[in-house]
Amino acid sequence: MKSRSLKLVISVVVLSLILGLSGGLVAQAQDEEYTVGTSADWPPFELVDENGNIVGFDADVMRAIGLIEGYEVKIRDMSFDALIPALKSGKVDIVAAGLTITDERDKVIDYTNPYWDANQGVLVRKDSPLNVVTALSMGHKVGAQRGTTQAGWLEDNLVKKDVNINLNLYDTNDLAIMDLKNGRIDAFMADTPAARTFNTLNPELKMVGIVMTGEHLGFAVQENDPKGLLPKLNDGLEELRVTGIYDNLKEAYFGPSSDLDRITKCFSKSRHYLEEEEDPAAYAMDLRTCMAGEDE
Ligand code: ARG
């Protein structure tokens, strides 16, 4: 008798748990929306196209994972050094900004599995006589974005060790590139993929060397992942890999022809696959073909 009523209690509890959970899940699936913070000045990971859209590898990976995992994605642009504070205070739910996984940041935010490797590239003007050593010494003006690992590397390894450089920190990389081109600074440091793309977009620059920092990039969520986003992001990344979407986005953005005109044209041509058909595989394939110029 005792055990029958216990069973009854247990099944009622289990049943209400199931009902409650599934009710919750359905409600969530309808109105789940997450804000992704980025600093859209880091091509080809994130940049603003000629129509003002935030495009790039990170942005599209976020949109594709949103479709796969069933939530809406809103992308918000801000200066790089505002991203981690915005994540900590819950103004954004995810940071997708070519963010290096560092021990220091790992204490205050949580990361997905790494999705990219990077070192630090040094850019100067094409007509400059500087090499990677002279560019980073002899009183030269070196630019980097505030709050980044390149700013940290320059501070820790050069400024604090009394190597004579004049460090110029920028809120956005667009300003740094402009200053480099017009001679206000002598050199600029950026993650190798970004340095290469900055160079493609600005042929009046050249890369004179790479500092091997061995960084890994990850997407970030709030410390202890209160919204349960890490499994979604990691599953989503895995899904992008097995379906080939990841490779197509990579080819599209890291291929040889990443000029801004083409990115603008191709994003506006392919975006309906994301927004109307909600088919990230068709989007990535179409974008890759368009970026390669194979549809011309
Ligand atoms: N990987 C470097 C860091 O995490 C630089 C990232 C800059 N990203 C950007 N979207 N501007 O510090």
Side-chain angles (χ1 to χ4, degrees):
M1 191 63 197
K2 226 178 165 187
S3 90
R4 271 187 60 191
S5 57
L6 188 66
K7 265 187 200 157
L8 192 69
V9 171
I10 290 175
S11 19
V12 169
V13 169
V14 169
L15 193 67
S16 46
L17 264 177
I18 291 172
L19 285 177
L21 264 183
S22 60
L25 281 184
V26 171
Q28 263 183 19
Q30 283 163 350
D31 43 41
E32 239 181 320
E33 179 185 91
Y34 296 113
T35 303
V36 175
T38 196
S39 172
D41 58 358
W42 205 236
F45 291 105
E46 42 269 334
L47 64 154
V48 179
D49 77 2
E50 286 162 356
N51 298 325
N53 300 302
I54 297 176
V55 295
F57 183 79
D58 285 344
D60 279 355
V61 162
M62 285 296 116
R63 293 179 175 116
I65 292 181
L67 288 175
I68 289 169
E69 297 292 318
Y71 59 81
E72 298 281 323
V73 170
K74 206 168 89 192
I75 301 181
R76 240 180 97 176
D77 191 14
M78 55 186 79
S79 68
F80 184 81
D81 69 339
L83 285 169
I84 292 177
L87 187 58
K88 279 165 71 183
S89 69
K91 272 200 203 93
V92 302
D93 305 301
I94 301 169
V95 170
L99 196 67
T100 300
I101 302 172
T102 68
D103 290 345
E104 203 186 327
R105 290 174 181 164
D106 213 5
K107 287 183 195 139
V108 290
I109 56 178
D110 278 358
Y111 282 101
T112 60
N113 299 326
Y115 69 95
W116 209 276
D117 297 331
N119 293 296
Q120 301 296 334
V122 179
L123 291 171
V124 300
R125 280 177 301 286
K126 199 164 212 158
D127 58 10
S128 163
L130 297 176
N131 61 42
V132 67
V133 176
T134 53
L136 302 182
S137 59
M138 297 164 73
H140 287 117
K141 293 187 186 126
V142 184
Q145 187 173 32
R146 198 184 307 283
T148 58
T149 49
Q150 29 285 155
W153 188 89
L154 291 164
E155 271 156 11
D156 294 345
N157 296 284
L158 303 184
V159 177
K160 285 188 190 152
K161 298 199 170 141
D162 292 329
V163 176
N164 185 15
I165 65 161
N166 186 335
L167 181 57
N168 287 241
L169 296 179
Y170 291 87
D171 283 339
T172 74
N173 290 294
D174 301 339
L175 288 176
I177 292 288
M178 210 157 63
D179 273 6
L180 179 60
K181 288 202 284 188
N182 65 29
R184 265 200 286 267
I185 56 174
D186 305 300
F188 167 71
M189 214 174 181
D191 289 0
T192 34
R196 283 193 196 98
T197 309
F198 276 128
N199 201 176
T200 314
L201 297 173
N202 302 279
E204 57 276 66
L205 303 179
K206 66 179 175 191
M207 188 150 97
V208 282
I210 293 174
V211 178
M212 302 302 287
T213 50
E215 293 169 50
H216 305 289
L217 312 183
F219 302 109
V221 299
Q222 278 180 298
E223 174 78 341
N224 299 325
D225 191 23
K227 296 184 181 166
L229 281 164
L230 274 187
K232 294 183 195 191
L233 292 170
N234 282 327
D235 285 358
L237 271 174
E238 186 53 29
E239 190 65 20
L240 294 187
R241 289 219 165 86
V242 298
T243 52
I245 297 176
Y246 195 88
D247 271 353
N248 284 335
L249 290 177
K250 181 172 152 184
E251 271 308 310
Y253 285 110
F254 293 83
S257 57
S258 52
D259 68 88
L260 196 58
D261 275 2
R262 187 177 289 275
I263 294 178
T264 306
K265 181 191 127 198
C266 293
F267 182 70
S268 67
K269 173 177 172 291
S270 310
R271 65 187 296 174
H272 67 94
Y273 284 116
L274 288 175
E275 288 154 8
E276 283 142 45
E277 285 91 332
E278 303 196 342
D279 181 346
Y283 170 76
M285 180 67 89
D286 199 57
L287 190 78
R288 173 180 178 164
T289 311
C290 179
M291 287 295 289
E294 283 162 14
D295 58 342
E296 280 158 12

